[in-house]
Amino acid sequence: MKVEFVKAASDAAVVVVFVHEDRALTPAAKAYDKKTKGALARAINAGRFTGAKGQTLALTAPAGLDNPQILAVGLGAKGKAIEDLTLEAAAGAAYRAVATSGFTTLAYETEGLTSDQAARIGFASRLASYRFDKYRTTQKPEAKPSIDAIQVVTDAAPAAKKAYGPLSAVADGVFFTRDLVSEPANVLYPDEFAKRCKALEKLGLQVEVLTEAQMAKLGMRTLLAVGQGSSKESRLVVISWMGGTKTARPVAFVGKGVCFDSGGLSLKPPEGMEDMKWDMGGGGAVAGLMCALAGRKAKANVIGVIGLVENMPDGNAQRPGDVVVSMSGQTVEVLNTDAEGRLVLADALWYTQDRFKPKFMVDLATLTGAMIVALGNDFAGVFSNSDELSDGIMAASAATGERTWRMPLPDDYDRLIDAPTADVKNTSGRAGGSITAALFLQRFVNKTPWAHLDIAPVAWKKDSKVSTVPDGASGFGVRLLDRLVADRFEG
Ligand code: BES
Ligand code: MN
Ligand code: ZN
């Protein structure tokens, strides 16, 4: 969806104006109330619309106006400054309200708002407009999206357009992730994922793709063991963006890219197994993050590493009870082949730390169902050996609305993953399942400040209440970590 910033009052089909709680009209709303000789205020006063956050009220075919519809959208309480996330929620709600209305053009009137806020509105409407329709050959007319142009009307159009530049790059990154995560696993297997990353080189990123033979040489046997039951070859993708000072050590993001997780020989039940096409959500977020950073030419050195496998149960699959030597040299007893994400990350984390000596390292993974049990459907869990890094993630979380909650990594739980016949085992029963998974990862991290984000609860939304995140692939992690990088290196 194209977003334009224009100066003139709009002739769009739908004109959006914002209203604060207690029916307090913003300057733009007042202007349209005047144009309609008080009809907007009368409509607002007639019903339950109060201007609460995200509420909408449509005034259709008002006399005195060529635009077929005015859409009033609530901004909530009139505080000192309108918060970015409030504005995003309202702008996204407006888009949602008319997405399939039959109207084709949508314009936001922003009189009284700053150019940054106008840009923010464009960003939110674009995020809200995401769809993944490539495999539909027909669609019911009433379900077809009708809006095909979005305008933000502002006196400061050039400044707003400039402020929109980096936000638009972040939206591109979010969309890149959403596209990857939405793809079915018969289309998006490890090599295809790697190819789509390779295409990011056009943005100035450097992308390396390691084959199974190269990984075998490096000793990445826990990663390869996960993929050995699949007819698809495993891959490791390394993406780098060197936008900072030449000699500065980078930071690194590492993603779980299990393109399909059948469970392997520890086969999952059929119910809901289709969800496991999005078990590459962590890797997808890393790819989208790198896309965003390059798109907005971030002044930072950043490495993205994605471990790509398919977890399948054929005659060559790893068995429960197998002992595998990881790249770190530690031996792993694989008690459950469905606890595969940690096996992929063990080698990916070790490799990243060893090769790049990053200032800090953050991994993202749809790692455990237990994380959903613990936090519900709207928070990712944060596990970290560094208060500073974890605080930075929580701050980025508050700023972007990608919600996280810190979880414990207790030393005295570590014994729970001591194995019967090897150094470490990959499962330890139901109790604290997300914590023991994180403790497993920690055994493959040395002194590097590290955080693990278990994004199983948030990578895919089934009933999204956030207007900028449509149902389906959320793109969670791109905005959060883009912000973390910006706060650390560009603040
Ligand atoms: N990919 C799953 C975790 C998952 C479950 C993500 C549901 C998103 C939604 C992971 O590989 C897995 O299977 N974990 C097991 C671990 C268990 C075998 C110790 C789980 O959560 O049941
Ligand atoms: Mn699994
Ligand atoms: Zn998995």
Side-chain angles (χ1 to χ4, degrees):
M1 179 79 61
K2 210 172 142 226
V3 177
E4 286 180 328
F5 296 87
V6 298
K7 188 164 177 169
S10 170
D11 60 359
V14 182
V15 174
V16 176
V17 296
F18 295 105
V19 178
H20 283 288
E21 188 66 273
D22 297 326
R23 302 178 169 87
L25 307 193
T26 58
K30 276 182 192 151
Y32 274 81
D33 185 49
K34 208 165 159 197
K35 284 188 188 184
T36 59
K37 302 200 168 53
L40 181 60
R42 277 202 304 284
I44 287 172
N45 290 325
R48 285 187 177 160
F49 178 90
T50 60
K53 238 185 237 185
Q55 241 185 356
T56 59
L57 172 114
L59 176 65
T60 305
L65 207 64
D66 290 334
N67 311 86
Q69 186 170 98
I70 301 175
L71 187 68
V73 185
L75 275 181
K78 189 175 176 179
K80 272 183 231 101
I82 302 165
E83 281 182 23
D84 282 348
L85 289 179
T86 302
L87 201 55
E88 284 184 23
Y95 177 84
R96 267 196 191 193
V98 296
T100 58
S101 59
F103 294 124
T104 56
T105 49
L106 175 63
Y108 295 85
E109 288 284 353
T110 68
E111 188 185 343
L113 299 181
T114 65
S115 53
D116 279 353
Q117 289 175 320
R120 183 65 55 177
I121 289 167
F123 178 54
S125 59
R126 174 128 185 269
L127 288 173
S129 75
Y130 179 81
R131 324 229 339 155
F132 188 77
D133 282 342
K134 69 187 272 198
Y135 297 115
R136 293 183 199 281
T137 62
T138 70
Q139 206 166 4
K140 291 193 193 91
E142 65 272 22
K144 269 193 199 141
S146 59
I147 300 291
D148 56 24
I150 294 173
Q151 293 181 339
V152 182
V153 185
T154 166
D155 282 340
K161 193 175 172 195
K162 189 161 176 244
Y164 180 67
L167 292 174
S168 174
V170 174
D172 289 343
V174 172
F175 280 25
F176 192 76
T177 303
R178 288 177 181 173
D179 282 346
L180 288 172
V181 175
S182 301
E183 285 287 4
N186 61 326
V187 174
L188 194 83
Y189 45 91
D191 191 51
E192 173 63 18
F193 190 126
K195 286 199 172 108
R196 293 193 189 188
C197 291
K198 198 79 190 161
L200 292 175
E201 285 191 326
K202 67 175 186 285
L203 298 176
L205 289 158
Q206 196 193 317
V207 182
E208 286 170 66
V209 180
L210 273 62
T211 61
E212 287 193 344
Q214 290 169 301
M215 287 190 275
K217 238 186 181 158
L218 287 162
M220 299 186 150
R221 280 192 277 266
T222 57
L223 186 154
L224 290 169
V226 175
Q228 77 189 28
S230 167
S231 60
K232 307 289 189 197
E233 280 215 14
S234 303
R235 295 284 182 264
L236 189 87
V237 170
V238 181
I239 311 176
S240 52
W241 173 252
M242 293 294 153
T245 27
K246 278 230 154 46
T247 54
R249 275 160 63 209
V251 298
F253 298 96
V254 181
K256 167 179 172 180
V258 177
C259 294
F260 189 73
D261 179 13
S262 70
L265 287 177
S266 311
L267 194 64
K268 287 182 179 297
E271 180 94 16
M273 200 199 272
E274 68 277 11
D275 283 348
M276 289 299 104
K277 76 167 186 180
W278 49 266
D279 207 21
M280 34 56 70
V286 169
L289 170 68
M290 299 309 293
C291 170
L293 294 171
R296 66 175 187 78
K297 305 216 180 311
K299 291 188 173 42
N301 294 345
V302 183
I303 303 291
V305 174
I306 307 167
L308 294 164
V309 299
E310 185 181 48
N311 188 22
M312 298 290 270
D314 78 0
N316 192 45
Q318 67 174 337
R319 293 146 290 252
D322 281 4
V323 174
V324 187
V325 188
S326 67
M327 186 184 176
S328 74
Q330 296 174 89
T331 54
V332 180
E333 192 161 359
V334 180
L335 295 184
N336 187 323
T337 65
D338 196 13
E340 85 297 340
R342 64 199 77 180
L343 300 175
V344 172
L345 287 173
D347 279 341
L349 284 166
W350 187 266
Y351 172 82
T352 303
Q353 169 181 263
D354 197 48
R355 174 169 168 195
F356 297 105
K357 319 274 184 281
K359 278 189 189 144
F360 67 73
M361 185 162 74
V362 178
D363 75 74
L364 296 99
T366 48
L367 203 64
T368 63
M371 199 73 261
I372 306 171
V373 176
L375 293 178
N377 294 315
D378 297 300
F379 288 85
V382 181
F383 299 82
S384 183
N385 62 6
S386 157
D387 289 346
E388 196 195 345
L389 177 55
S390 151
D391 288 349
I393 291 170
M394 308 283 269
S397 213
T400 58
E402 294 196 329
R403 298 160 89 188
T404 58
W405 196 262
R406 183 144 186 207
M407 299 287 294
L409 267 178
D411 288 342
D412 55 330
Y413 280 24
D414 188 69
R415 65 182 164 75
L416 296 173
I417 52 171
D418 288 339
T421 59
D423 297 333
V424 60
K425 60 183 177 183
N426 79 330
T427 51
S428 79
R430 286 162 55 83
S434 304
I435 301 174
T436 50
L439 286 166
F440 181 96
L441 300 181
Q442 191 173 37
R443 291 218 188 175
F444 299 86
V445 176
N446 290 332
K447 292 271 174 281
T448 310
W450 154 79
H452 156 58
L453 299 184
D454 191 334
I455 62 169
V458 292
W460 188 272
K461 301 305 291 181
K462 285 182 174 155
D463 183 22
S464 174
K465 297 283 182 284
V466 179
S467 63
T468 48
V469 182
D471 281 351
S474 66
F476 186 100
V478 175
R479 294 188 60 186
L480 178 72
L481 298 174
D482 173 75
R483 180 67 185 230
L484 179 71
V485 169
D487 287 350
R488 271 298 181 91
F489 299 102
E490 302 165 289

